[in-house]
Amino acid sequence: MTAIIQTIDTADGPFTILADDRQRVLSSGWTDDQTAILTRLASATRPAAVREGETDAAAAVSAYYGGDLTAIDAVAVKQTGTALQLAGWAALREIEPGDPLTYTGFAARLGNPQAVRAAASICARNAPALFVPCHRVLRTDGTLGGFAWGLGVKASLLARETVAG
């Protein structure tokens, strides 16, 4: 499979999208470093080849930054992981903009409020950032916690969603 990679400008800096031949987002994030996007994927799931091109997801990112916070919801993603990870990534897509959860609340949605570390790990291993909105999960005390693309980007996304929501 040859994947498509595209970098667009956003209010939070360059945003790179890696999509498969069916336009499903494999990995994405706030960087113009294509290697950083590729290494978010396990080596066994990385595409054999990558070419620059247009991704369908880029229009959704532009719409999101233009104020349509639901534009990212319809973007197809492709993730590979354990059953718990897949369930967790699906649950992340159900968190409404402007209504973030804590890691404890996220763990409870997964059926085990004690599994806070597992919930945090699911967020940390989320490759298609923004489309699977792991930025909508906060520490139990309400602070930002970690984010692969930096706390500044996470804070900006949450602020955008709070104002618009």
Side-chain angles (χ1 to χ4, degrees):
M1 181 221 11
T2 298
I4 304 161
I5 199 159
Q6 179 181 15
T7 301
I8 62 172
D9 290 324
T10 73
D12 293 316
F15 186 81
T16 300
I17 302 160
L18 179 70
D20 69 8
D21 53 355
R22 292 174 49 195
Q23 290 287 336
R24 296 175 298 182
V25 176
L26 303 172
S27 181
S28 54
W30 290 265
T31 182
D32 56 6
D33 180 353
Q34 294 182 357
T35 301
I37 296 300
L38 284 164
T39 57
R40 295 287 298 161
L41 299 172
S43 57
T45 62
R46 288 185 195 140
V50 176
R51 68 172 177 81
E52 300 222 11
E54 300 286 319
T55 62
D56 293 347
V61 174
S62 295
Y64 171 89
Y65 274 96
D68 180 1
L69 301 179
T70 63
I72 59 173
D73 297 347
V75 173
V77 298
K78 182 177 182 227
Q79 293 175 284
T80 304
T82 66
L84 180 61
Q85 287 171 327
L86 293 171
W89 293 324
L92 285 171
R93 295 197 89 177
E94 296 172 4
I95 301 171
E96 294 294 324
D99 193 21
L101 291 177
T102 63
Y103 287 107
T104 303
F106 180 48
R109 276 208 186 172
L110 298 177
N112 187 350
Q114 308 305 316
V116 175
R117 284 204 169 124
S121 175
I122 287 166
C123 291
R125 287 181 169 75
N126 176 46
L130 187 62
F131 307 104
V132 178
C134 58
H135 65 273
R136 296 179 185 156
V137 182
L138 306 172
R139 285 186 176 155
T140 302
D141 65 4
T143 58
L144 293 181
F147 188 60
W149 306 106
L151 294 183
V153 171
K154 184 172 184 170
S156 174
L157 295 170
L158 291 170
R160 174 174 286 102
E161 293 177 356
T162 300
V163 169

